[in-house]
Amino acid sequence: MLTRIFPFLAWFRGYGVEKLKLDAVAGVTVALVLIPQSMAYAQLAGLPPYYGLYASFLPPVLASLFGSSRQLATGPVAVVSLMTAASLEPLATAGSEAYIAYAVILALLVGLFQLSLGILRLGLVVNFLSHPVVNGFTNAAAIIIASSQLSKMFGVTVDSAEHHYETIVRVVQAAMHYTHWPTLALGALAFAVMFFLRRINPRIPNVLVAVALTTVISWAVGFQHDARVALEAVRSPGARQAVEAFNEATVRIADLSARRTELSQALAQARENHDFDAANDAEHDLLKVNHDIALARDVAHEQREALRAMLFAGVQEGGRLLLFPRGDVPAGAQADGRTWRLKVGNKPLDVAGLTAVGGGAVVGSIPKGLPAFAMPGLDLGAVAHLLSYAAIISLLGFMEAISIAKAMAAKTGQRLDPNQELIGQGLANILGALTRSYPTSGSFSRSAVNLQAGAVTGLSSVFTSVMVVLVLLFFTPLLYHLPQSVLAAVIMMAVIGLINASGFIHAWRAQRYDGIISIISFAATLAFAPHLDKGIMVGVVLSLGVFLYKSMRPRVRSLALAEDSALRCAREYSLMECDYVDVIRFDGPLFFANASFLEDQITARMAQKKNLRHIVLVANGINDMDASGEETLSLLIARCRQAGVDVSLSGVNEAVMEVLRRTHLLEKIGQDHIFPSTEIALRAVHQGAHADSGEKRCPLTSVCYNI
């Protein structure tokens, strides 16, 4: 009983020093992969890189302590990070304090959802996400994730568009205008190092080697080269006008946003007081304010893009940096050889100290120490918006985690409990949110490393977390010069494994409609990105639609004798059917949605076969029956017998037989018309049905083909 509440107690049965050494080595090895990977995934989620470390020191421990898998490595993962960004984008600007607060709330909601499913033993709810849907979504997500890192690889910055493909077009246009070649070179070097080390020896921590090497190069060559300049040092009238127009637009957006908040509160108050005139006025004012905000955002976007497209040459004069339009340096002035750009975000620019970028982007300063342990503040409006995303992330994250755990359990022979795994993942996200973590899940790549390194129990995850804590406490300055393009390369290399084109082919071969659902889910996810939830919902609706259609129209087949002496579908095997006895097999539960379909099928056969005398309903496939199904069957038998066609049932299972007994339909059918098998039923009814028929060769007793 105690091990059900505290599963980790089972680890220590027969545990010794040798196993401890294996867990320690595996934990440290996973940490070497996790630390750079988690920082990359945090950026993918729209968070500062060090938030990946915050999500990597507590969730892995809790997931391993209270989960059922001993080798599953939990932490930030690519798909969940992408879903986090998609869910938070409408609420706040990526990287802002509000955005971070919402990410923590999302982790809390995901954890509560998973924990509730686990406690209530509802792990099977994940089956609503069928494999074809997940395959289509995962392949599309891999492409979206990889392409979202192109801006960091090229060293350009663009505003996100409504659709992801529009954002990529902007990135390509910006890269054609300007690419920071040292940034691209370091990203490509990281790619090459990870690729070749993985080919040489998968046990080598290729991600860590690539990160360490490029960070040293970045520090040695002064890869980052930023400067602070006053607006008057920018010798471009167009740039100065754009800065002033941008600042004016952003200040107007802030003022209008504050006004919108006041109006929203006034509207809520007016509705509460049933003051319809005041409510109408507030709604009208809100519409106008929203319109004005949209116009101001368009202006800010235009000026921001214009400023980002401006390239400058730097000239040192009197100990200060002057920026001239590139190609327009005054005669006699000596440029420093760098291409300078102005760093423009979403806030008003400081005209006394603009940030001029003359190099590449690096991770920068990381706060030293562990995050404070605190309950996240709950914004009910944000919670309402995030609930649907939390449910999707919970199911997706759990499906990824349990799939990985099952794959490892097949190798280790370990027994898994999906509901206990939900509890572990839920607690990891809930308590992780208390230390400013964003949603986490099981990682395929790090779990594989954990298994290959020889992890025996979940203590390996404890060692992993200890390593992350040591980095946060003592080694964060070493990460300052880590290039952003290298983190982008880490993400792109990681998601290559998510692309699985053979999954579409496999689904198509299994069932054509599964292949179609997988392809549509893939296309919808790409089309709707960054609104990834819509792509998933399209797939789920299609899957449920196909399931309902198949349930409403199950297979109804007339059987005849085949060459192997088995009764098979007469139409599929081109077999002749008996004119006097029809053996009908119904494959599926008989319930309200398909009862009329069975009635229609039998009625059609009676109309087609004028000499029909007996119907044998093969009930082996009828595994359940509701009141509608029972009522329909009762009326159908009565109608058939009134028309001179007798009805018998064969292969009725216990569940259906109980329904027949309780409703007294068994008495109506007759015990002598219920047979344990189809063969026995045919032997019983064949002679009577063929009396005076003149049929010399019956397709139910010998093989007859339609020629």
Side-chain angles (χ1 to χ4, degrees), residues 379-390:
D379 179 340
L380 294 181
V383 169
H385 169 82
L386 293 173
L387 276 177
S388 60
Y389 288 96

Side-chain angles (χ1 to χ4, degrees), residues 40-47 78 80-82 84-86 88 94-95 99 103 438 491:
Y41 290 150
Q43 281 202 151
L44 178 61
L47 298 164
V80 171
S81 298
L82 182 64
T84 298
L88 300 180
Y99 188 95
Y438 75 97
I491 292 175

Side-chain angles (χ1 to χ4, degrees), residues 560-579:
L561 199 68
E563 275 189 334
D564 58 359
S565 299
L567 290 169
R568 301 191 182 279
C569 176
R571 181 174 298 178
E572 291 180 12
Y573 289 86
S574 300
L575 302 171
M576 291 188 66
E577 298 179 43
C578 178
D579 290 333

Side-chain angles (χ1 to χ4, degrees), residues 21 27 60 74 106 136 162 195 223 255 327 330 361 430 444 479 497 553 594 603 618 624 676 707:
K21 288 180 180 178
T74 298
L106 181 62
E162 183 179 356
F195 178 78
F223 176 68
D255 293 341
I430 291 171
F444 179 81
L479 300 171
R553 299 178 66 85
N594 61 23
T603 302
V618 181
D624 195 13
I707 300 175

Side-chain angles (χ1 to χ4, degrees), residues 189-225:
L189 176 62
F191 256 123
V193 170
M194 289 185 288
F195 178 78
F196 285 112
L197 287 181
R198 184 180 291 182
R199 293 288 297 272
I200 293 170
N201 187 352
R203 291 179 176 268
I204 298 175
N206 55 81
V207 175
L208 181 68
V209 173
V211 165
L213 177 62
T214 52
T215 300
V216 170
I217 294 173
S218 170
W219 167 77
V221 303
F223 176 68
Q224 182 197 33
H225 197 86

Side-chain angles (χ1 to χ4, degrees), residues 271 281 297 345 366 442 591 622 667:
R271 286 175 174 170
D281 291 341
R297 282 178 176 167
I366 295 177
F591 67 120
I622 304 177
E667 299 168 7

Side-chain angles (χ1 to χ4, degrees), residues 489-502:
V490 169
I491 292 175
M492 296 173 80
M493 179 63 76
V495 299
I496 288 175
L498 294 177
I499 298 176
N500 177 27
S502 63

